[in-house]
């Protein structure tokens, strides 16, 4: 049985209300910035899903949504270390389009910097990043962030798209983990 999150949560870092209020602000900002153009939103699976689906409903310029999945090889399931592989690529061309990448969290920066480099070679009209969370203290590679929901300290977080060994993405809030109380379901 997967543990109930109540057993290991340290604190609620961002409530559902705080997240939704910030998502509305970001949506308004993006709508202003892209007024008169069309957007291609690229959601990075799987963590970016909740944020993307809420965010796009707050944007009022015409937009299309695409999905991309990347996996990173690293020392453990909670770190990424440079080597990033695309496991699901886009179904459309990005050439001459205004691209906005939507991600749940930027940590070391390796994942997103690889995605950006790869997309740049496909000649978009513009390419920007919107991340819900920025764990800025952990950055190893610089990533240009145009829209950021919240800057957070170096703590492992879960909920609202972010997982603990693939679970708890469905929680409407974001919490921090007491790793001493957390038992991995992966054995
Ligand atoms: P980066 O390549 O180190 O920037 O890693 C980014 C990816 O690591 C994110 O897309 C998340 O999947 C994952 N990640 C980093 N920090 C956390 C966290 O605190 N909780 C859940 N996932 C995280
Ligand atoms: Mg992720």
């Amino acid at each position: 049985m997967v543990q109930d999150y109540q057993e290991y949560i340290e604190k609620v870092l961002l409530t559902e209300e705080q997240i939704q209020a910030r998502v509305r602000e970001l949506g308004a900002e993006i709508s202003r910035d892209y007024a008169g153009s069309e957007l291609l939103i690229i959601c990075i699976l799987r963590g970016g899903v909740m944020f993307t689906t809420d965010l796009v409903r707050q944007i009022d310029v015409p937009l299309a949504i695409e999905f991309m999945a990347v996996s990173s090889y690293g020392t453990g399931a909670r770190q990424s270390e440079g080597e990033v592989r695309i496991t699901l690529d886009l179904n459309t061309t990005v050439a001459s389009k205004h691209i906005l990448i939507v991600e749940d969290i930027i940590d070391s920066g390796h994942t997103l910097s690889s995605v950006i480099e790869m997309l740049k070679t496909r000649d978009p009209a513009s390419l920007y990043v919107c991340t819900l969370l920025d764990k800025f203290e952990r950055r190893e590679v610089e990533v240009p962030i145009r829209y950021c929901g919240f800057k957070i300290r170096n703590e492992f977080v879960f909920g609202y798209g972010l997982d603990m060994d693939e679970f708890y993405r469905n929680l409407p809030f974001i919490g921090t983990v007491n790793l001493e109380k957390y038992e991995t379901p992966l054995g």
Side-chain angles (χ1 to χ4, degrees):
M1 276 291 283
V2 176
Q3 264 176 308
D4 190 305
Y5 73 85
Q6 314 262 18
E7 292 174 33
Y8 63 77
I9 188 168
E10 204 160 54
K11 62 175 183 293
V12 172
L13 186 68
L14 295 164
T15 65
E16 181 174 6
E17 292 70 28
Q18 287 174 308
I19 295 169
Q20 294 304 331
R22 187 71 186 115
V23 168
R24 282 193 295 275
E25 288 176 356
L26 289 170
E29 202 181 325
I30 292 166
S31 301
R32 276 196 303 276
D33 292 349
Y34 288 91
S37 31
E38 288 168 19
L39 252 182
L40 178 62
I41 300 277
I42 299 183
C43 168
I44 308 294
L45 295 176
R46 290 177 286 260
V49 162
M50 308 296 159
F51 181 38
T52 300
T53 56
D54 283 341
L55 183 66
V56 291
R57 282 177 280 187
Q58 303 297 329
I59 299 177
D60 64 10
V61 301
L63 62 84
I65 307 173
E66 270 286 339
F67 297 93
M68 193 171 202
V70 288
S71 75
S72 41
Y73 303 107
T75 46
R78 289 186 199 99
Q79 311 229 46
S80 72
E81 275 208 344
E83 275 226 37
V84 174
R85 192 168 53 101
I86 292 167
T87 55
L88 176 74
D89 206 343
L90 306 172
N91 268 319
T92 51
T93 158
V94 306
S96 310
K97 292 179 183 164
H98 293 288
I99 308 297
L100 184 62
I101 302 173
V102 180
E103 172 67 306
D104 54 350
I105 186 166
I106 303 178
D107 188 27
S108 70
H110 287 297
T111 306
L112 224 53
S113 86
S114 311
V115 171
I116 290 168
E117 286 318 306
M118 198 276 296
L119 289 175
K120 270 187 185 165
T121 66
R122 301 185 190 177
D123 294 321
S126 67
L127 178 62
Y128 289 102
V129 172
C130 176
T131 186
L132 179 66
L133 305 176
D134 178 8
K135 229 191 240 182
F136 60 97
E137 295 165 320
R138 297 249 308 165
R139 202 61 35 83
E140 291 170 15
V141 196
E142 213 190 307
V143 176
I145 302 174
R146 185 170 188 187
Y147 306 99
C148 171
F150 306 91
K151 285 187 187 259
I152 65 166
R153 305 311 300 262
N154 182 17
E155 292 177 292
F156 202 82
V157 291
F158 68 100
Y160 196 68
L162 296 132
D163 70 303
M164 291 285 295
D165 299 326
E166 293 304 325
F167 284 87
Y168 318 105
R169 293 188 196 272
N170 56 312
L171 298 174
F173 60 87
I174 292 174
T176 62
V177 187
N178 180 339
L179 283 171
E180 278 166 24
K181 295 191 183 158
Y182 174 75
E183 291 160 27
T184 173
L186 305 177

